[in-house]
Amino acid sequence: MRKQEKNLQIITAGLLFLACLFLVSPREIAGAERPYRIGFTVPLTGAFGKDGSLVKDAYIFWQETVNAQGGIAVKKKRYPVELIYYDDKSEPQSSAKLVEKLITEDKVDLILGGFGSSQVIAASAVSEKFRYPMTCGAASTLKLFDRGSQYYFSLLGKAPEEVRGCIEILPTLTPRPATAAIIGANIPFSADAADGFKAYAPKFGIKVIHFELFPMALTDYNSLLNKVKGKKPDVLLVGSHSLVAIRVMKGLKEVDFTPQGVFFSYGPTVPDFLNSLAKDGEYVFAASEWTPNLPYRDNVFGTAKDFYHKYIKRFGRSPDFVEAASVAGALVQQQALQELGFTPPLQDADREKIMKFFYSKRFDNFYGPIRFGPDGANEIHPPVVVQVQGGKLVNVFPPDTAEGKPVYPMKPWKKR
């Protein structure tokens, strides 16, 4: 009898063990492997807190998608992704210190870029020092590309190049604009974008009749815009971030100034723009480098439209092109790990090979074509222009990928 009881206990224990095995998902089994530890810093507070939060969401979306698929597949095993991130409070010095912490204390395998040129300049200088390749989808000032960096890779084009589409579209509008006023916040990306407007405008027959950079801390936008209004430009071109874009639109309404068109380097694609302005944000144009109607795809997210709809399902809002670029940067790092066969934890020699891998080929995913030039900029980004129409962003340029026609000129404030 005792022997029978003992056998029953052994059989029961065996069945329980087997049951536990079946209850563990493939993801949890893969989780037993050491994950890839990937770090980044972003502004979650301060002047760029809303913009930086978008980048954080982008990386979390990538992590959740990859882990839901079992992790990154390397050498017939899958390794989950663990993200470690900090709020740099929109402060470049904090960004630099936190990246060093990620590398020396948290021992991350790889580094992703944050938001904002000043913060990313500081952060990427540290990643360069420790020879960590950094991919970034949210900074594009010339200063990032003019310093001889080997380890910084941008999914965006250079800031002056980023606004090229906003100038190329002007000769196609009716009535064709002849003059422009250009203003911009005097911080790296916005000032570079304003310079880009200034450089491209004459090449397309646009005379620049006013150019002015103003402090990021400017509070009296009305005086600035009244000065511009006095020049009577056909269009207003603005080197901007989301906060600047919102303040410019509020100022234009307050001084009752309606140029035929208003074009921003960045801002209207950030959800906070329309959340803050509602109908007052109608008709503005903005530079972009990605829209969901573009014909791109990959094996992780599917098509650009698939990515778009999955993002809306996860966050309840559409993704900004900076978010798409940030996810694409993470995908490029994932592709490097897979093709080079590096498993965690990574060694210095692995990161050196990843850096060289980035320079060696063209990448294609849902974001589009990516080829890093010798200075780390994406050399083949498209010059997309979007416009706010009916509360949504519509791709209006270039014509071969446009979803709709530009609405031009803008309706005067008093006739809306």
Side-chain angles (χ1 to χ4, degrees), residues 107-348:
K107 307 292 185 186
V108 296
D109 296 301
L110 291 168
I111 291 283
L112 295 167
F115 180 91
S117 292
S118 296
Q119 289 74 245
V120 175
I121 287 172
S124 59
V126 178
S127 68
E128 184 85 10
K129 173 185 171 184
F130 288 95
R131 299 186 175 183
Y132 271 61
M134 173 187 281
T135 53
C136 182
S140 57
T141 179
L142 287 176
K143 292 180 180 178
L144 283 162
F145 308 111
D146 292 345
R147 55 189 176 160
S149 171
Q150 282 184 286
Y151 293 82
Y152 180 74
F153 299 89
S154 174
L155 280 296
L156 305 177
K158 299 174 185 176
E161 181 71 10
E162 199 171 312
V163 299
R164 176 166 52 91
C166 287
I167 298 296
E168 291 181 347
I169 193 176
L170 295 180
T172 72
L173 302 175
T174 304
R176 177 173 175 156
T179 61
I182 301 172
I183 59 174
N186 196 11
I187 54 176
F189 166 76
S190 301
D192 284 349
D195 286 340
F197 283 132
K198 187 178 181 182
Y200 276 112
K203 297 177 182 177
F204 289 84
I206 307 297
K207 183 178 180 182
V208 178
I209 58 174
H210 184 83
F211 181 88
E212 183 172 352
L213 298 179
F214 55 86
M216 183 68 189
L218 180 72
T219 56
D220 184 9
Y221 276 67
N222 289 10
S223 294
L224 168 68
L225 294 170
N226 264 323
K227 192 186 333 178
V228 174
K229 180 181 179 181
K231 303 284 183 70
K232 299 181 178 178
D234 292 335
V235 295
L236 175 62
L237 312 175
V238 188
S240 55
H241 285 286
S242 61
L243 190 61
V244 170
I246 291 169
R247 288 176 175 173
V248 166
M249 291 308 296
K250 287 182 176 178
L252 288 173
K253 185 176 183 180
E254 287 174 9
V255 302
D256 191 24
F257 175 35
T258 313
Q260 293 179 14
V262 181
F263 297 75
F264 292 98
S265 62
Y266 188 64
T269 59
V270 178
D272 193 46
F273 182 84
L274 283 178
N275 290 341
S276 299
L277 296 172
K279 291 183 178 179
D280 289 346
E282 283 290 306
Y283 312 121
V284 303
F285 295 87
S288 181
E289 298 201 22
W290 178 85
T291 52
N293 72 308
L294 295 174
Y296 308 137
R297 64 174 302 125
D298 60 59
N299 293 328
V300 176
F301 293 102
T303 65
K305 191 157 287 184
D306 290 338
F307 171 84
Y308 176 78
H309 288 302
K310 290 173 184 175
Y311 213 89
I312 291 175
K313 185 176 181 181
R314 171 62 178 84
F315 294 109
R317 60 172 179 78
S318 58
D320 177 38
F321 78 92
V322 158
E323 293 174 276
S326 298
V327 172
L331 269 182
V332 167
Q333 297 214 13
Q334 177 181 346
Q335 187 175 342
L337 294 170
Q338 291 174 320
E339 293 194 22
L340 295 173
F342 293 150
T343 58
L346 298 191
Q347 306 301 314
D348 290 344

Side-chain angles (χ1 to χ4, degrees), residues 50 56 72 74-75 122 268 296 311 355 386 394:
K50 292 186 182 299
K56 181 205 70 175
I72 296 176
V74 179
K75 295 180 179 178
Y296 308 137
Y311 213 89
M355 177 270 288
V386 296
V394 177

